[in-house]
Amino acid sequence: MRILLTGSSGQVGHALDSTLRSLPGVEVIIPQRTQMDLSRLDLVRDTIRDIKPQLIINPAAYTAVDKAESEPGLAQTINGDAPGVMAEEAKKLGAALIHYSTDYVFDGSKRGSDGSLLAYTEQDATHPLNVYGSSKLAGEQAIAASSCAHLIFRTSWVYSGFGKNFLLTMLRLAKERDELKIVNDQWGAPTWAGWIAQATTDIVRQLQQASDTDAWWAAHRGIYNLTTQQYTSWQGFAQEIMQQAVGLKLLDKAPVVSGIPAAEYPTPATRPVNSTLSMQLLNEHFQIQPPLWSQALTDCLRGINTEQAAQ
Ligand SMILES: NC(=O)c1ccc[n+]([C@@H]2O[C@H](COP(=O)([O-])OP(=O)(O)OC[C@H]3O[C@@H](n4cnc5c(N)ncnc54)[C@H](OP(=O)(O)O)[C@@H]3O)[C@@H](O)[C@H]2O)c1
């Protein structure tokens, strides 16, 4: 299978670059940025026509959530229009597209009658609160409109031992400060990029093994939530990072992590209070059981440990 992979310098793309290569009979092609800058739709189109992939996997995105508020046009082109072009070209080639989206397509107001948080399903109405979320929703809609064979995985709170993310920021701040104040009234499932890559690769394996790929796509195409099990606040995530990092000897000591409301940490982009996503559909279609978010954190931190020990 000839796979065109974007965003290999990002968290999910970097992880996919290695997990996809573990599949037999897979050729992974990673175009240079100059060949496939997603802000240049003509380049995106030409490069797909040159490479003629059987599957496009697109974790590349404009992910600077706050900066997007002042660059809505660029965010729309990269997150909204480029995935649509990929889908159109995939359709023409008889290829398929795997794309990633976000919990930020929702406004986070979903609650039960008792006021408790309820996890969003794939069928819930979308209502983004910020430019980034609107641009990612536009990408989902453009892909669906193309009617190409596709899977869209909505994920949340992505981190890894690589790139720019909350985990690595916390590990750095832990070495610099004795106390951290972290938001305690937004809730979600921290999701290790390595797990997203593993689950995606498992699903590509299922596709490879399908005796009738048209029937497989007819049964499975669409949107799926793809995070980890259970949820926490940013403060809870930070506390768990500190505890595990000390246990794994990545840190000598942990700072005190106290909670603050998001209102005391104003950002240009408004973020949803409830980012929790149900994974029932993912499990029903692909028999995938996501790990607990805290277990996935351990798996990620063990990798960081090994990398550091090797240096
Ligand atoms: N990060 C999160 O917390 C989060 C949460 C929910 C959903 N998601 C979604 O999950 C997916 C993967 O996110 P991630 O965290 O892996 O992202 P990331 O680490 O920020 O990586 C983004 C990737 O996109 C590439 N990219 C950006 N602009 C580009 C352009 N104009 N042309 C070509 N490539 C471009 C980047 O390349 P450079 O390095 O060269 O800029 C990088 O490789 C995205 O669809 C994102 O929207 C992420």
Side-chain angles (χ1 to χ4, degrees), residues 64 91 95 99-100 156 176 207 211 214 227 236 246 267:
K91 171 94 179 156
H99 178 72
Y100 298 87
S156 67
E176 297 170 6
L207 168 62
S211 53
D214 288 343
T227 64
V246 169
T267 51

Side-chain angles (χ1 to χ4, degrees), residues 132-204:
Y132 166 77
S134 298
S135 69
K136 294 294 293 183
L137 178 59
E140 292 184 2
Q141 290 167 341
I143 292 168
S146 78
S147 75
C148 82
H150 69 271
L151 296 171
I152 298 172
F153 297 123
R154 284 182 182 149
T155 188
S156 67
W157 296 21
V158 179
Y159 67 91
S160 72
F162 172 87
K164 207 175 152 202
N165 59 65
F166 186 82
L167 166 65
L168 296 182
T169 301
M170 288 301 111
L171 292 178
R172 178 174 51 79
L173 291 178
K175 290 174 183 153
E176 297 170 6
R177 300 196 197 162
D178 295 325
E179 187 184 357
L180 300 175
K181 291 189 164 89
I182 308 291
V183 168
N184 63 1
D185 58 358
Q186 292 170 349
W187 305 90
T191 306
W192 176 37
W195 155 247
I196 297 173
Q198 284 169 22
T200 304
T201 302
D202 188 2
I203 291 167
V204 173

